[in-house]
Structure formats: structure tokens, C-alpha cells
Amino acid sequence: EPEVTQTPSHQVTQMGQEVILRCVPISNHLYFYWYRQILGQKVEFLVSFYNNEISEKSEIFDDQFSVERPDGSNFTLKIRSTKLEDSAMYFCASSDDYYGEQYFGPGTRLTVT
Amino acid sequence: AQKVTQAQTEISVVEKEDVTLDCVYETRDTTYYLFWYKQPPSGELVFLIRRNSFDEQNEISGRYSWNFQKSTSSFNFTITASQVVDSAVYFCALSGNNFNKFYFGSGTKLNVKP
């Protein structure tokens, strides 16, 4: 069964460093999403992406964040200058149409020290 | 504004008991979708069900059942004859007219003891 994959599973970085989290959505999906979950808290929407542009973003998704689909298979989330409060589990999701179910990847745990 | 409330932070049951997880939502959108996701200890989010606002039929899938009531803005999830493998955090989520954006509740941690 096709699935969303994410790498790395765990990333440790120092405050102020740039990180790139990578996702490979399900191959025929067209809509892509990033969410984050601070430990023990709810899952929060960050951004949605369709047709090579951002279609929606939350208040959390400020200028420190960016997303990109650099090729036909990867979907990345970049955090330019990480802060301690960016420590969280980051989930990528994809769906095959606007009303489709979102399938989530296993997550990348980001730890900022 | 969209909001999902899961008032039960944590529930503990003994195996084979039935358990209901509550979800109350708020939205002004006329068209919306409701979801349940399971997050086992391994951390991934597993899709369980999607329901649109025009379909109030209850759904049963094996030991799982869902009760959608627009009159009370609730979308409750019942596990019948719970098993240890059901132990997880369960999230209810909502998307409105802007289907791109999901709003998650704070989750209910279910502990099923043998």
C-alpha cells in the first residue's frame, strides 16, 4: 500500500541553524501539507501546497518557514533559523484531491538545543 | 472560527470494556468534514474515518462505530470490546469550507489494560 515517507525520523540541531525536513508524498497525490505537534499537545496545521504554491498557511508559518517541491517526488519544509520552541514532531501529509483524505507520514522529530 | 473540543484528556478501561470518546466541534461553515485519527505510541497518525456534514448516518466498522449528531455538534467514537492494541491517543479533526486546513482537537489518550 502506498505511503507517505519522511526523513529523517529524528533531527537534532542547534538554535539558529537551518533545517530541512523531507517528505515523499504518495505518488499520484497533488495536495501536500505540513503539520506540527509539540510534545503532548494537539496537531497544528502549518501549511498546504498545491500546484507549486502555498494555498493556505497558519499564523505559525511565519517568514522562518518555507516549503518547496524541488522535484516530482519530494516536498520539503525548511526552517531558516531554528528556535527552541520549534522542537516538535513534524508531520507531512498528502491527498489526491481537494476533498480527499489526508494520509500522514510517520513524522520527523525535531529537537532544537 | 473552527474549533474541536475533546474534553476527555485520558481514559483507562479494562480489556473488553466498551469505551466512547467524545468530540464536540464548532463551525459556521455549512459544509464541513469530520475525522478521527489514531496515534499509537509509535507516533504516526492513522486515518480512521471521514464524515461530511450532509451525512449523519452512523457508521460501524468492526469494533469501531461513530455517532454523528449535528443537533449537538458532536462526532463521538465508540470502541466495542476494547483491546490492548487500541491503546493510543485519538484525535478528532474538522475541516470547513477551506478543506485545505484541518483543525485538531487536543486528543484523548486511551489506556486499555489487560
Side-chain angles (χ1 to χ4, degrees), chain A residues 11-106:
Chain A
Q11 172 99 42
V12 181
T13 189
Q14 287 191 327
M15 198 166 54
Q17 295 295 305
E18 174 183 286
V19 294
I20 298 177
L21 309 183
R22 301 179 194 282
C23 168
V24 178
I26 294 173
S27 63
N28 62 335
H29 284 189
L30 301 174
Y31 296 80
F32 313 112
Y33 311 85
W34 283 101
Y35 292 82
R36 80 170 186 194
Q37 183 183 28
I38 295 171
L39 187 64
Q41 298 186 24
K42 69 168 113 177
V43 178
E44 300 173 290
F45 169 82
L46 289 177
V47 67
S48 58
F49 191 87
Y50 169 71
N51 202 26
N52 280 322
E53 59 183 31
I54 290 173
S55 33
E56 183 78 31
K57 60 183 181 179
S58 72
E59 314 75 46
I60 303 167
F61 194 88
D62 61 21
D63 293 343
Q64 291 298 313
F65 291 89
S66 63
V67 289
E68 192 179 31
R69 188 149 162 84
D71 53 44
S73 58
N74 289 284
F75 179 50
T76 61
L77 174 70
K78 183 195 289 188
I79 308 175
R80 268 181 259 286
S81 177
T82 50
K83 305 175 194 146
L84 293 176
E85 53 264 38
D86 293 326
S87 295
M89 180 76 93
Y90 288 81
F91 291 101
C92 172
S94 69
S95 63
D96 59 354
D97 71 34
Y98 187 74
Y99 297 106
E101 297 151 16
Q102 292 187 16
Y103 291 87
F104 284 76

Side-chain angles (χ1 to χ4, degrees), chain B residues 19-91:
Chain B
V19 58
T20 295
L21 310 181
D22 297 334
C23 172
V24 174
Y25 62 91
E26 293 175 34
T27 181
R28 292 182 182 170
D29 294 342
T30 52
T31 302
Y32 53 90
Y33 288 79
L34 295 161
F35 304 79
W36 277 95
Y37 283 85
K38 174 181 179 180
Q39 187 175 44
S42 47
E44 73 271 24
L45 285 166
V46 179
F47 168 82
L48 295 177
I49 190 171
R50 176 182 69 173
R51 184 54 101 219
N52 76 51
S53 50
F54 299 110
D55 182 3
E56 281 192 80
Q57 263 195 323
N58 291 331
E59 179 150 341
I60 298 174
S61 175
R63 296 184 297 107
Y64 295 170
S65 62
W66 290 269
N67 184 337
F68 176 28
Q69 292 200 335
K70 285 178 81 168
S71 59
T72 55
S73 297
S74 64
F75 186 45
N76 296 337
F77 173 31
T78 297
I79 301 174
T80 303
S82 58
Q83 299 175 2
V84 173
V85 293
D86 295 327
S87 296
V89 180
Y90 291 85
F91 289 97

